[in-house]
Amino acid sequence: MPWFEYEGLTPGSTPIRGRVEAKDHEQAAAELAEMRIDVRDLSVAPEAPARPLKISADDLIGFNEHLASLSKAGIALDEGLAQLAKDVESPSMRRWIESLAEDTRRGIPLDEAFAARESNLPVLYSNVLRAGIRSGNLHDTLLNLNQHLKLISRTRRILWETASYPILVGVLAILVMSCFFVLVMPRFIEIFQDFGVALPGLTRALMAFTGSYVETLTLAAVVLIAGFVFFRVIRTSPKGRLLRENLIMLIPVIGRIYRDSLITRFLRSMSSLIGTGTTLPEALRLGAGATGSETLARESEQLAQQVERGESIYATNQLMRIIPPLFGYCVEVSGEQNLLAESVASLSNTYESRAQHGQTMLQTLVFPIMIIALGGFLAFCILGTFLPLVSLINSMCG
């Protein structure tokens, strides 16, 4: 997509200029309007900007913890960020924080400064930040986000650590089997055809697989690459993020961990917001915004509208995909805000434990499944190759 250069004013009448990526002039203007920038000039950029800095999960977690500390201590963010930049080892990360500090020093709101750098951050990070600022509870929102990032990072690490050995063995096995199927197996097929005996079904299947091995391997590589690109591309639009979220939740074990993590973030935010006196409809909307989940945002909006109409949310909550039915029950029976905040906090701890248990199950299941699958395929190749020799021996022995 092309880049557009803009000049305008922030809500505080501070001049601002920068670039935004959009498919056309109208989309660029709409995105800037969402950032509450009064655009005075908007034109196509003469050339694409330099490749943006990609912040790692560990760097973002550390940055969030420092930002949460600054927010809780009431330290001026411009000066606090400038001092934080001096303590960062990565030169590119240091420049990024310094530019952020410069924007806040010029009076640009923190959420807008982050929105202008959305390409450097996880999708919807600025929306999560905005929800924390609107709720007046930025400290807890950032720490809550960190818990989610740590959980997701740990899940990925478990997947990689558990699958790395079988993947390495699998890659070596593919190299060996490629030589086998391309160079060796065609010679065996010629020999088998000269036996003049009925070949076992397993051998016939192996011979058929040999004939289409190159095409099968190419198709598998294309599918993997296409799947990776597809998951990256659909993150750029709300409908795409909704589809991606639905696909992730269909994956056994991983989908449950992802859902439990979203519920934990949502309920923790809800507990903090209700405890500070935020109304239930507003807490629902802000709590969902603090997760960045499209599905959760839709479900929360539906419940918030019911509360505003004075209707019970218990029956509707039973039909929700992410928000657990127990949440609606807690709202019905708790009544008072203090009791509701405690009930929701207790419920969030339950789902956090479920997410951690899911990680343990993932670590337990992935390695044996991959080893069994790899061993089964190798057994198929070996048996398919040597069973005809048994048939030949039996035929010769009468």
Side-chain angles (χ1 to χ4, degrees):
M1 288 193 296
W3 287 80
F4 293 82
E5 290 183 342
Y6 67 86
E7 293 184 8
L9 300 174
T10 68
S13 298
T14 302
I16 183 174
R17 60 186 302 177
R19 295 186 185 220
V20 62
E21 187 180 18
K23 65 180 182 180
D24 52 35
H25 190 279
E26 289 73 17
Q27 184 183 15
E31 290 184 5
L32 292 170
E34 289 181 3
M35 294 161 59
R36 294 188 297 169
I37 294 177
D38 181 12
V39 179
R40 300 300 174 87
D41 182 62
L42 179 63
S43 59
V44 178
E47 58 181 14
R51 186 176 180 178
L53 162 71
K54 294 299 181 182
I55 299 178
S56 68
D58 290 339
D59 285 340
L60 184 59
I61 288 171
F63 175 77
N64 279 343
E65 290 177 349
H66 286 294
L67 187 58
S69 300
L70 294 175
S71 174
K72 185 175 182 179
I75 299 174
L77 289 179
D78 55 350
E79 185 59 30
L81 289 171
Q83 296 301 319
L84 172 61
K86 297 177 181 179
D87 197 35
V88 174
E89 295 182 359
S90 170
S92 56
M93 187 69 179
R94 186 184 308 117
R95 289 193 299 270
W96 187 83
I97 297 176
E98 287 173 347
S99 68
L100 189 65
E102 181 61 28
D103 279 0
T104 56
R105 188 175 291 117
R106 290 163 51 197
I108 299 176
L110 186 64
D111 55 334
E112 293 180 14
F114 275 101
R117 297 165 173 80
E118 190 78 78
S119 60
N120 306 130
L121 302 165
V123 176
L124 296 182
Y125 179 88
S126 60
N127 288 11
V128 173
L129 196 73
R130 189 176 297 115
I133 294 172
R134 287 176 57 196
S135 65
N137 199 11
L138 179 60
H139 172 263
D140 288 343
T141 300
L142 288 172
L143 293 183
N144 193 7
L145 175 62
N146 267 9
Q147 287 295 108
H148 175 72
L149 292 175
K150 289 177 181 178
L151 186 67
I152 296 300
S153 178
R154 184 167 182 264
T155 301
R156 289 174 179 168
R157 187 172 64 252
I158 288 173
L159 275 173
W160 173 246
E161 290 176 352
T162 305
S164 57
Y165 177 71
I167 288 175
L168 178 61
V169 174
V171 169
L172 295 175
I174 288 174
L175 294 175
V176 173
M177 285 188 295
S178 295
C179 295
F180 174 76
F181 283 115
V182 174
L183 302 176
V184 179
M185 195 59 196
R187 304 292 179 269
F188 271 97
I189 292 175
E190 294 176 2
I191 295 173
F192 293 159
Q193 291 172 344
D194 293 337
F195 279 178
V197 297
L199 297 174
L202 195 64
T203 302
R204 293 197 299 272
L206 182 62
M207 292 168 63
F209 182 74
T210 301
S212 60
Y213 175 76
V214 175
E215 292 80 1
T216 302
L217 195 63
T218 303
L219 179 62
V222 170
V223 169
L224 287 175
I225 295 172
F228 175 78
V229 173
F230 174 73
F231 265 78
R232 297 287 296 181
V233 170
I234 62 175
R235 298 174 61 188
T236 58
S237 67
K239 290 184 179 179
R241 287 191 291 269
L242 182 62
L243 174 61
R244 181 175 181 270
E245 195 170 82
N246 291 334
L247 291 175
I248 289 176
M249 285 193 286
L250 290 176
I251 302 174
V253 183
I254 294 177
R256 199 183 80 176
I257 294 173
Y258 181 78
R259 176 179 177 270
D260 290 344
S261 176
L262 285 178
I263 293 174
T264 301
R265 291 178 62 197
F266 171 69
L267 294 178
R268 277 184 175 164
S269 297
M270 285 285 299
S271 176
S272 301
L273 292 166
I274 294 171
T276 56
T278 306
T279 62
L280 184 56
E282 186 68 7
L284 281 163
R285 294 185 176 104
L286 291 174
T291 66
S293 166
E294 296 289 339
T295 306
L296 198 50
R298 296 185 180 191
E299 294 182 357
S300 297
E301 181 61 30
Q302 186 177 349
L303 295 182
Q305 291 178 4
Q306 281 194 262
V307 173
E308 290 172 340
R309 291 194 297 265
E311 301 174 3
S312 171
I313 67 172
Y314 178 76
T316 304
N317 192 190
Q318 306 303 306
L319 306 175
M320 297 297 179
R321 184 176 183 185
I322 294 185
I323 300 178
L326 277 174
F327 173 75
Y329 179 75
C330 289
V331 173
E332 290 293 317
V333 301
S334 297
E336 298 180 9
Q337 280 192 323
N338 290 337
L339 294 178
L340 180 58
E342 293 177 2
S343 299
V344 172
S346 177
L347 193 59
S348 71
N349 292 333
T350 300
Y351 279 91
E352 183 179 18
S353 298
R354 281 184 49 171
Q356 293 172 348
H357 175 67
Q359 288 182 330
T360 303
M361 285 185 59
L362 188 66
Q363 196 167 14
T364 303
L365 293 175
V366 169
F367 184 78
I369 289 174
M370 294 194 69
I371 291 297
I372 290 172
L374 181 60
F377 185 73
L378 291 175
F380 164 69
C381 296
I382 294 171
L383 291 174
T385 303
F386 288 99
L387 277 178
L389 300 179
V390 178
S391 300
L392 178 61
I393 293 171
N394 289 336
S395 176
M396 292 175 64
C397 293

